[in-house]
Amino acid sequence: MNFETVMQELEALGKERTKKIYMSSGAHEPLFGVATGHMKPIAKKIKINQELAEQLYVTGNYDAMYFAGVIADPKAMMKADFDRWMDTAYFYMLSDYVVAVTLAEADIAQEVADDWITSDEELKMSAGWSCYCWLLGNRKDHEFSESKIANMLETVKNTIHDAPDRTKYSMNNFLFTVATSYTPLHDLAVETGKAVGPVEVQTDKAKSKFINASDNIQKAVDKGQVGFKRKHVRC
């Protein structure tokens, strides 16, 4: 399948209702409104195709950019490629669920994520923390430095309340993921979550809400979900 065929198939799968849902989360034109599950038959035909992924990603069309992440070859991408993708990821569904997810399957994932976490740019920071969530939830515990993850927990404890909103979400999720998917530091993550407590995030200009990793960790513990690992990062 070539670029034109894929774009035609994505457009045919678009639904106005799905488009409105994406736009309410921050997506903007151009987009078709394709449910991600409906992309799977096309992905099965193509499998991995980095050249086509690059063509789709640069369109700026949200659905095409998402699908680019599905068929990309993370091991063929260099840091500059991930940085380039990140530079045009204009809202969190791209930064955290396309770029960070794709990065999580690359050998250079931690190196790139570390750089983004220290960037002081909201979506880059969010993608960096999110990437670690995908990594910890998929890779074996011995692939990570325990002291490094412990230091990251300390960073969350000391900075999350002053971080940008989208970064707060990802840092909060990092706390949860360490507690549930990285067993060597389960206890430390539980303690850190309690120390952090509820974190306020803005839902719009006039309203805010609180997110609390500690509550979600306890729910996971009660359900016996500690030690959870997913087989695949990308669907």
Side-chain angles (χ1 to χ4, degrees):
M1 296 180 72
N2 60 24
F3 169 77
E4 289 78 13
T5 304
V6 173
M7 290 298 289
Q8 288 169 5
E9 292 213 16
L10 290 175
E11 185 173 11
L13 290 169
K15 302 291 183 184
E16 194 62 31
R17 182 174 178 274
T18 306
K19 182 175 179 178
K20 289 178 179 178
I21 292 171
Y22 291 161
M23 294 185 77
S24 70
S25 295
H28 59 57
E29 294 283 5
L31 77 163
F32 302 131
V34 184
T36 55
H38 293 168
M39 295 179 180
K40 289 184 178 181
I42 312 175
K44 285 182 179 179
K45 294 178 187 176
I46 298 170
K47 297 182 181 177
I48 298 297
N49 188 324
Q50 183 61 28
E51 182 179 353
L52 180 55
E54 293 288 359
Q55 290 178 295
L56 293 167
Y57 197 84
V58 298
T59 62
N61 178 298
Y62 169 68
D63 302 288
M65 295 171 82
Y66 187 97
F67 189 68
V70 174
I71 64 169
D73 182 0
K75 297 185 186 301
M77 297 176 70
M78 301 293 102
K79 183 179 185 300
D81 298 314
F82 287 109
D83 285 339
R84 176 167 45 80
W85 277 35
M86 189 65 231
D87 287 341
T88 50
Y90 62 85
F91 78 125
Y92 78 94
M93 287 173 68
L94 288 169
S95 63
D96 293 10
Y97 297 103
V98 177
V99 185
V101 172
T102 307
L103 174 61
E105 291 196 1
D107 295 335
I108 58 172
Q110 291 193 51
E111 171 194 336
V112 178
D114 290 344
D115 183 57
W116 290 351
I117 284 170
T118 58
S119 69
D120 291 329
E121 296 178 39
E122 182 173 11
L123 289 182
K124 274 190 177 182
M125 294 164 70
S126 180
W129 288 106
S130 288
C131 182
Y132 269 95
C133 295
W134 297 111
L135 288 167
L136 290 163
N138 170 252
R139 299 191 185 185
K140 296 184 184 301
D141 289 346
H142 68 76
E143 297 185 41
F144 302 92
S145 163
E146 187 173 328
S147 61
K148 178 181 181 179
I149 302 300
N151 287 336
M152 292 175 74
L153 287 172
E154 185 69 14
T155 297
V156 171
K157 183 173 73 173
N158 294 334
T159 65
I160 188 170
H161 290 286
D162 296 318
D165 279 340
R166 181 41 54 182
T167 309
K168 286 179 179 177
Y169 279 105
S170 296
M171 295 172 90
N172 186 75
N173 195 33
F174 176 80
L175 276 179
F176 172 81
T177 306
V178 175
T180 55
S181 294
Y182 186 64
T183 52
L185 292 179
H186 168 78
D187 291 342
L188 181 59
V190 170
E191 293 173 14
T192 305
K194 290 177 180 177
V196 166
V199 178
E200 186 175 16
V201 292
Q202 294 297 127
T203 54
D204 57 39
K205 292 182 179 179
K207 298 179 181 179
S208 66
K209 69 175 183 179
F210 288 90
I211 53 176
N212 193 331
S214 191
D215 288 348
N216 291 329
I217 291 168
Q218 188 57 53
K219 291 176 184 177
V221 170
D222 293 342
K223 292 179 181 178
Q225 294 175 339
V226 174
F228 167 79
K229 297 284 185 180
R230 59 172 56 86
K231 288 185 178 180
H232 305 286
V233 177
R234 291 184 294 175
C235 298

